[in-house]
Amino acid sequence: MTSTTATPHSVIRTPGIMALMSMSALCFAGFGALVSTVPLWAVRGGADEVGGGLVNAVMMAATVAVQTTVPAALRRFGWTPTLLAGVVLLGAPSLVLLMTDALPAILALSAVRGAGFAVITVCGSSAVARLVEPARRGRAIGLYGLSISAPQILLVPTSVWIADHVGFWVVFAVGAAPLIATVPAFLLARRLDRMPPSPAADHHPHRTSARVWLALIAPSIVLLTITAPGGALLTFVPQFPEVGGYAVAGLFALTACAAAARWLIGGLADRFGHLPFQPPLLLLGAAGLALCVWSMFGGGGAALIGGMAITGIAYGSLQNVTLIESFAAVGPRHRDIASAVWNIGFDCGTGIGALVVGFIAAQTNFGIALSTTSALCVVVAVVVLVRILVGRGRRHPAADEG
């Protein structure tokens, strides 16, 4: 089936895709349920605001550190033990949290969860590239993105309410959902372990040429450019002046539009290539961020919700097309490295965005801080456009495996 006639339905019937989506949905349900509730659990246990903030900081630091080791783990141990270890490390600490609210224990458990999350994120995106050929990869990445976004849209905004009105034990039970994912993880891993190696497989996998790292710079810069303001919005919107109770609606608009866009852009990227979409999407993100800034200076709640929805479209779409480009740039020989670099870029962009915007806002205000990220989107859009015009980018995501 060609890229012009393939449908999302044909992709979802690809062997292994349903197992991947089931595993991802369960793992990200557990992750999303605990993002806001574990810091709250620490504060209820006696930690101050700094201690509560450390919870997710420790988890993401562990995530980035372990993501660098996942490609080597896959080469040495194979998919089955690596993936099963990931789901257990991500899910089991949630049950242990029921037994303690002491900050040192919570931080240690957060580090363990971060290690599991690292395995799931790198393996998940790498599995897409292994299961689906390049001509349909955009659609597959879109479905994968939907499976990880949908549970977060539901659980991130509601988990704190559930903890307050029903009990933390309910949220922690949901946080253990990755343990249920051992079944689809096992089915997926067995299929991947049985797949024949690529004809281009590296006989010296520990040697990665400079060409591979250089090829991943361009998509990483675009990804960092959009995830930085995305992370800032997710972190600071409730603190924006003049937005009042619209912050929750804005966050929902951002996450929902990002999930839908990441799914829908896949078919277009398969048909027209990944690179042409990047400049207009970056400019769209800049416009959405400008609307968010305006909401603080008289635009009101409607401007905030509209701005976050527009930013969400760029945020989700660029996640898809930069992952396609990362795989296309390095070819089948280095898929696992491309997956690890992309996931590290996503997590670093999210963290750096919150850190830098928070620092600028502390010296000036949130309007100036967010305007800086909008201007960066414009600059990078121009750079990518120049890259397209001089013909340095690949024209189609299938170029890596033809």
Side-chain angles (χ1 to χ4, degrees):
M1 185 172 288
T2 68
S3 63
T4 57
T5 60
T7 67
H9 300 291
S10 67
V11 173
I12 205 170
R13 288 196 294 265
T14 301
I17 286 293
M18 281 302 299
L20 171 63
M21 292 181 66
S22 300
M23 178 198 74
S24 301
L26 287 165
C27 287
F28 277 83
F31 174 82
L34 300 185
V35 166
S36 299
T37 49
V38 176
L40 181 61
W41 180 247
V43 171
R44 296 282 175 87
D48 58 12
E49 287 77 6
V50 175
L54 277 174
V55 173
N56 285 338
V58 167
M59 183 183 70
M60 295 315 298
T63 296
V64 172
V66 175
Q67 280 170 339
T68 64
T69 70
V70 175
L74 288 172
R75 290 194 299 265
R76 181 170 183 179
F77 304 111
W79 282 85
T80 301
T82 302
L83 207 47
L84 290 178
V87 296
V88 171
L89 290 172
L90 181 59
S94 186
L95 298 177
V96 182
L97 283 168
L98 285 167
M99 306 174 191
T100 178
D101 58 7
L103 183 60
I106 291 174
L107 294 179
L109 292 169
S110 295
V112 174
R113 288 176 54 232
F117 190 59
V119 174
I120 297 303
T121 52
V122 174
C123 288
S125 51
S126 183
V128 174
R130 291 178 179 271
L131 293 170
V132 181
E133 71 276 14
R136 300 188 300 160
R137 190 168 289 163
R139 293 174 176 84
I141 291 173
L143 286 171
Y144 169 67
L146 193 63
S147 71
I148 66 180
S149 300
Q152 295 186 84
I153 293 171
L154 176 65
L155 290 167
V156 171
T158 61
S159 58
V160 170
W161 185 93
I162 294 171
D164 281 336
H165 292 80
V166 183
F168 278 91
W169 67 271
V170 177
V171 179
F172 291 156
V174 177
L179 294 177
I180 305 174
T182 52
V183 175
F186 177 77
L187 296 174
L188 172 65
R190 287 296 299 271
R191 172 169 294 278
L192 291 167
D193 277 330
R194 290 196 300 265
M195 290 179 69
S198 164
D202 197 346
H203 296 292
H204 301 283
H206 60 284
R207 298 176 185 171
T208 303
S209 68
R211 183 198 66 81
V212 172
W213 302 115
L214 290 172
L216 293 171
I217 290 176
S220 296
I221 289 174
V222 175
L223 181 65
L224 284 164
T225 300
I226 197 64
T227 54
L233 288 173
L234 290 169
T235 302
F236 294 117
V237 162
Q239 302 177 41
F240 285 179
E242 307 299 328
V243 300
Y246 291 99
V248 173
L251 287 169
F252 179 81
L254 175 73
T255 53
C257 289
R262 188 173 179 180
W263 173 39
L264 294 172
I265 194 69
L268 295 173
D270 285 341
R271 184 173 182 180
F272 299 107
H274 53 268
L275 204 54
F277 290 100
Q278 293 184 19
L281 285 170
L282 285 164
L283 293 176
L284 188 68
L289 291 165
L291 264 179
C292 293
V293 172
W294 183 47
S295 73
M296 304 177 218
F297 299 97
L304 178 72
I305 296 171
M308 292 187 71
I310 293 170
T311 304
I313 293 171
Y315 181 67
S317 299
L318 285 168
Q319 288 175 40
N320 188 316
V321 296
T322 52
L323 184 56
I324 295 172
E325 182 179 0
S326 296
F327 288 134
V330 301
R333 190 174 181 177
H334 299 290
R335 288 190 190 113
D336 298 338
I337 291 173
S339 176
V341 170
W342 186 90
N343 279 283
I344 290 169
F346 182 89
D347 294 331
C348 285
T350 302
I352 291 170
L355 182 65
V356 171
V357 167
F359 177 79
I360 296 174
Q363 309 302 314
T364 56
N365 57 59
F366 279 115
I368 292 176
L370 210 59
S371 296
T372 302
T373 65
S374 179
L376 180 62
C377 287
V378 174
V379 171
V380 176
V382 172
V383 172
V384 177
L385 183 59
V386 171
R387 179 186 172 206
I388 294 172
L389 293 175
V390 299
R392 292 180 180 174
R394 292 182 185 268
R395 297 188 56 155
H396 195 276
D400 62 333
E401 296 174 49

